[in-house]
Amino acid sequence: MAIRILKTDRRRKDELIGRYMQEIRDIVKTRLDRRQLLKMGLVMGGAGLMAMQGMRNFGPYWAHADDDGGLRLRSPPNAPFVDPLPIPQTMQPTALNPAPTRDPNPVASALTGFTETRRPDHQRWTEFGGASDIEPGFTGTRYEIVELPVEHDFYPASDGLPSSTIWTYVDAATLEAATLNAAIRGGTPVLRNLSPLRTQARYGEPIVLRIHNALPTANDGFGINQTTTHLHNGHTASESDGGPVQFYDFGQFKDFHYANARAGFSSTHPTSSLNGRTVIGDVRETMSFLWLHDHRFDFTAQNVYKGLLAFYTLFSNDILLDTGDETTGLRLPSGEFDIPMVFGDKVFDPAGRLFFDLFNLDGILGDKYTVNGKIQPYLEVKRRKYRFRFLDGGPSRVYQFFLSNGQPFIQISNDGNLLPRPLTRRSIRVSAAERVDVIVDFSSANAGDRIYLQNRLEQKDGRGPTGKIVAPTNVVEFRVVGPAQDDSQIPATLLDLPARRPIVRRREWEFERSGGQWEINDRLFHPAVISAFPKQNTAEVWTLESGGGWQHPIHNHLEEFQILSRDGERVPVEEQARKDVVRIGQAAIGTDNSDVKIFLQFRDWLGDYPLHCHNTVHEDHAMMLRWQVVP
């Protein structure tokens, strides 16, 4: 619902937008959470706003609008293609002090002085790097992150706008002690303009990632300094999954244990082989492109929008597949020619500071397109093949990407999972949390050419896209420079799909709207409720349905799934893949509404995991449930 402001003068509208944004920041200072605001009726439109005015002389302007001419949030203009695309910073292994333990660590961190939060003991600890079930020690790779406030320039310096305070993951191996101490003790940013982090993991090499929460209480209008980091698409034990109720506070850390083992290792596929190499798990479950993001329930959208995300790429040297080396395995573009990009549309207040609309329950659309944290950056590319890893970081926009010169993409993955064979595609559609790896060949371009990555999908509000292809918005400018050696290739085949097993049960989940919030099977998310109890090492078929008129990108944790059908029909070739996010409802495919059936398994690990909409505004307003794998 929107209260339309009928003033047409741009200056007056900008004044109203600024007032609306400031009053939202004032609400945040009252420490009311959004569930309390919802109970007061504040997020439901005029009546609720008038009630709040009587309580605290509060009367904000409802600025996100319908299609009939209401006031839309509008950011200050930017000069496009001034700043270079930030290239993700590769995480550096480090020693952890104290050494990791199977159970919660009783010793304070030598780095921060923080203590480990409560958690269940790590499952299969000594199978995957743990030195002992009793004594501390870990033989695998160790990384350490500190969550910190950072000053960040989304706009180029030439625009003359101030930086915004974001929250992000900082590689502790790159931090000087004095800098870290100042950041933690002062609670204000001392770092500036950091690129997103990238973990380069490998199958057969387990990891412990220690994450310290050093985020301040002050949040500049949105976000909460309680976090739980989810490895999205990871085949991970529940205690390290970063589930929505596993959050912890400032002054604590948590050790996340990633086995980096393929699904089925304890059940259906103790071993399997590919390219003459035998490994544990099903080789056809090999993954390539995952990501880390905060998952604290009720605050996922705010915290991720604020910057708590990172890349996690997983290579398969052990079976000579996706090796990260252009001379081995599939010989995909590698090294400096393998570039992850996270797309996030943002809104800024009239002063140029990052803004999050707490009152928008439909889904937030920004008017500025950022890539790896910069608005409309450029990238110099050489005349050769590149691998781009596209991630829609949300919260709500769906993209359909084209290249301005009409050149096709070569799609090699869906949700970071290699396809059976490469697909030549004129455009690529991705919704929140979906990932697509593409190869773009610039060898036919001329030095000096400008080629643009464009979004051409019409989307007017958080309901989802219309499905119409419209005039392009240029998102990234590729500036073609000189030639470069290219040892990469586009292989004829990639990776076959896993075989499906007999199922033991069917379930149906309906995603719908009620009372301004979002439900699954007529229930709002409750952190103490478990809605299903699938048995370990079994398979099921789930039907996912949309209540109509909305698009929902649905994500399930623990294992990827295969889409069996859309509305009873065969799925498009690009969805004949392993996925962990599936679009249902409005314009899920083309302009059509669509519901799906999926095949999924529950192997190797025990514990609870969520199913939810990854339009994180919907997720935070209760479109989520938890299920638990039981013996």
Side-chain angles (χ1 to χ4, degrees):
M1 179 179 180
I3 297 176
R4 287 182 287 139
I5 300 172
L6 301 179
K7 299 285 186 181
T8 58
D9 178 73
R10 175 160 184 162
R11 182 173 179 181
R12 176 58 175 159
K13 285 186 175 183
D14 287 345
E15 290 175 355
L16 297 181
I17 289 171
R19 178 175 174 181
Y20 173 77
M21 291 176 168
Q22 184 56 50
E23 288 183 333
I24 286 183
R25 290 192 168 101
D26 291 342
I27 290 174
V28 171
K29 292 177 182 177
T30 69
R31 308 291 294 171
L32 292 172
D33 66 32
R34 285 180 298 161
R35 293 193 180 215
Q36 292 170 306
L37 296 175
L38 186 67
K39 290 178 182 178
M40 294 177 179
L42 180 59
V43 296
M44 294 304 294
L49 300 181
M50 292 175 67
M52 290 294 287
Q53 182 176 14
M55 293 175 58
R56 293 197 302 275
N57 192 29
F58 172 77
Y61 293 86
W62 190 272
H64 63 273
D66 56 21
D67 295 334
D68 296 326
L71 186 67
R72 290 188 180 276
L73 301 185
R74 183 169 51 229
S75 305
N78 69 286
F81 316 120
V82 174
D83 285 338
L85 175 76
I87 301 301
Q89 174 192 344
T90 300
M91 287 278 292
Q92 300 302 309
T94 189
L96 296 177
N97 185 2
T101 52
R102 185 189 69 164
D103 53 349
N105 208 308
V107 181
S109 165
L111 180 72
T112 60
F114 296 173
T115 55
E116 185 165 19
T117 186
R118 291 183 297 175
R119 60 163 172 80
D121 293 353
H122 291 305
Q123 299 178 54
R124 302 183 178 274
W125 176 241
T126 56
E127 285 184 54
F128 298 107
S132 165
D133 282 337
I134 301 172
E135 299 297 326
F138 185 74
T139 61
T141 307
R142 288 145 286 172
Y143 297 103
E144 194 161 22
I145 280 174
V146 185
E147 297 169 330
L148 286 170
V150 170
E151 284 300 306
H152 186 78
D153 294 300
F154 290 95
Y155 284 83
S158 58
D159 286 342
L161 294 171
S163 60
S164 297
T165 299
I166 67 170
W167 292 350
T168 195
Y169 302 121
V170 180
D171 185 358
T174 67
L175 281 174
E176 296 181 356
T179 302
L180 178 60
N181 287 335
I184 293 175
R185 309 311 167 198
T188 56
V190 297
L191 298 168
R192 192 180 190 95
N193 290 336
L194 301 182
S195 298
L197 292 182
R198 177 182 183 178
T199 303
Q200 299 210 45
R202 300 187 183 279
Y203 275 106
E205 300 178 11
I207 283 173
V208 163
L209 173 60
R210 179 168 293 171
I211 303 181
H212 302 257
N213 183 346
L215 297 172
T217 301
N219 67 1
D220 197 28
F222 64 98
I224 191 171
N225 67 336
Q226 297 174 323
T227 63
T228 171
T229 302
H230 172 48
L231 178 57
H232 185 115
N233 200 31
H235 187 58
T236 306
S238 59
E239 66 276 1
S240 292
D241 179 62
V245 302
Q246 299 171 5
F247 57 89
Y248 54 99
D249 295 309
F250 170 87
Q252 296 181 308
F253 72 82
K254 183 175 179 179
D255 283 352
F256 294 83
H257 180 218
Y258 304 141
N260 291 330
R262 298 168 178 87
F265 64 82
S266 72
S267 54
T268 57
H269 294 79
T271 61
S272 62
S273 300
L274 187 68
N275 294 327
R277 305 288 186 91
T278 299
V279 296
I280 64 170
D282 185 353
V283 293
R284 294 167 297 179
E285 296 283 5
T286 299
M287 298 179 288
S288 293
F289 181 19
L290 301 80
W291 62 301
L292 296 159
H293 67 82
D294 186 59
H295 210 318
R296 202 281 193 201
F297 77 89
D298 286 358
F299 290 90
T300 297
Q302 295 180 53
N303 282 1
V304 176
Y305 187 91
K306 204 173 184 77
L308 289 174
L309 59 84
F311 300 107
Y312 189 103
T313 49
L314 184 52
F315 293 100
S316 44
N317 309 58
D318 58 344
I319 54 173
L320 295 177
L321 191 66
D322 189 359
T323 63
D325 182 341
E326 294 184 358
T327 66
T328 63
L330 292 174
R331 298 182 57 187
L332 300 172
S334 301
E336 66 176 294
F337 308 106
D338 172 3
I339 302 177
M341 299 184 192
V342 57
F343 300 88
D345 53 322
K346 309 287 188 184
V347 176
F348 299 86
D349 68 18
R353 296 180 301 165
L354 186 64
F355 174 78
F356 184 93
D357 188 352
L358 295 174
F359 294 158
N360 187 337
L361 301 182
D362 295 350
I364 292 174
L365 300 182
D367 62 346
K368 296 299 176 186
Y369 289 76
T370 71
V371 188
N372 292 358
K374 286 290 186 180
I375 301 173
Q376 292 178 290
Y378 71 87
L379 176 67
E380 290 189 346
V381 295
K382 298 176 181 177
R383 297 178 58 243
R384 55 151 291 155
K385 293 187 289 296
Y386 281 73
R387 176 182 188 171
F388 296 129
R389 303 178 188 249
F390 295 162
L391 160 63
D392 183 346
S396 308
R397 184 175 294 279
V398 184
Y399 299 85
Q400 189 142 347
F401 291 122
F402 292 76
L403 292 170
S404 61
N405 62 352
Q407 180 178 341
F409 302 97
I410 305 299
Q411 181 178 347
I412 61 172
S413 83
N414 196 323
D415 283 345
N417 302 306
L418 292 172
L419 296 168
R421 62 193 56 82
L423 302 175
T424 301
R425 306 195 62 206
R426 180 170 175 263
S427 66
I428 302 285
R429 184 175 293 190
V430 290
S431 64
E434 285 190 295
R435 285 95 58 223
V436 174
D437 290 38
V438 300
I439 295 175
V440 177
D441 190 350
F442 296 101
S443 61
S444 297
N446 297 314
D449 284 354
R450 300 289 189 267
I451 300 169
Y452 295 92
L453 180 68
Q454 301 176 324
N455 177 40
R456 296 187 59 191
L457 185 62
E458 182 180 62
Q459 185 168 355
K460 298 179 179 180
D461 54 37
R463 287 180 172 271
T466 65
K468 296 178 182 178
I469 302 302
V470 295
T473 298
N474 294 331
V475 180
V476 179
E477 180 181 77
F478 298 117
R479 299 179 179 179
V480 182
V481 293
Q485 180 175 338
D486 189 357
D487 295 319
S488 70
Q489 65 179 17
I490 299 173
T493 60
L494 295 166
L495 185 64
D496 289 338
L497 291 174
R500 295 197 290 266
R501 304 163 54 207
I503 65 169
V504 300
R505 181 162 181 168
R506 298 177 182 269
R507 303 181 198 266
E508 295 185 1
W509 307 108
E510 184 172 2
F511 296 79
E512 54 197 348
R513 185 180 177 94
S514 177
Q517 292 202 100
W518 301 97
E519 299 177 334
I520 305 177
N521 286 8
D522 300 317
R523 298 184 70 175
L524 301 174
F525 174 72
H526 192 288
V529 172
I530 302 294
S531 298
F533 295 88
K535 291 190 176 295
Q536 186 181 35
N537 299 327
T538 63
E540 298 185 359
V541 167
W542 290 3
T543 300
L544 310 178
E545 300 176 344
S546 171
W550 300 85
Q551 183 178 126
H552 301 295
I554 305 304
H555 173 51
N556 199 46
H557 289 217
L558 179 61
E559 284 209 43
E560 311 103 315
F561 49 77
Q562 294 182 51
I563 307 172
L564 300 179
S565 63
R566 282 191 173 275
D567 295 331
E569 302 293 332
R570 183 179 176 87
V571 300
V573 63
E574 69 270 16
E575 288 195 324
Q576 296 171 26
R578 293 170 292 130
K579 287 185 62 61
D580 62 75
V581 178
V582 60
R583 302 186 299 271
I584 64 172
Q586 176 174 302
I589 298 292
T591 59
D592 296 333
N593 290 350
S594 187
D595 300 323
V596 301
K597 293 184 185 297
I598 62 172
F599 168 87
L600 67 168
Q601 302 184 70
F602 308 91
R603 290 174 289 182
D604 305 322
W605 307 105
L606 298 170
D608 66 276
Y609 299 87
L611 169 73
H612 60 88
C613 178
H614 222 296
N615 178 332
T616 47
V617 176
H618 298 179
E619 172 189 334
D620 285 346
H621 291 88
M623 188 168 264
M624 179 163 59
L625 59 80
R626 291 162 67 213
W627 47 270
Q628 183 171 332
V629 181
V630 296

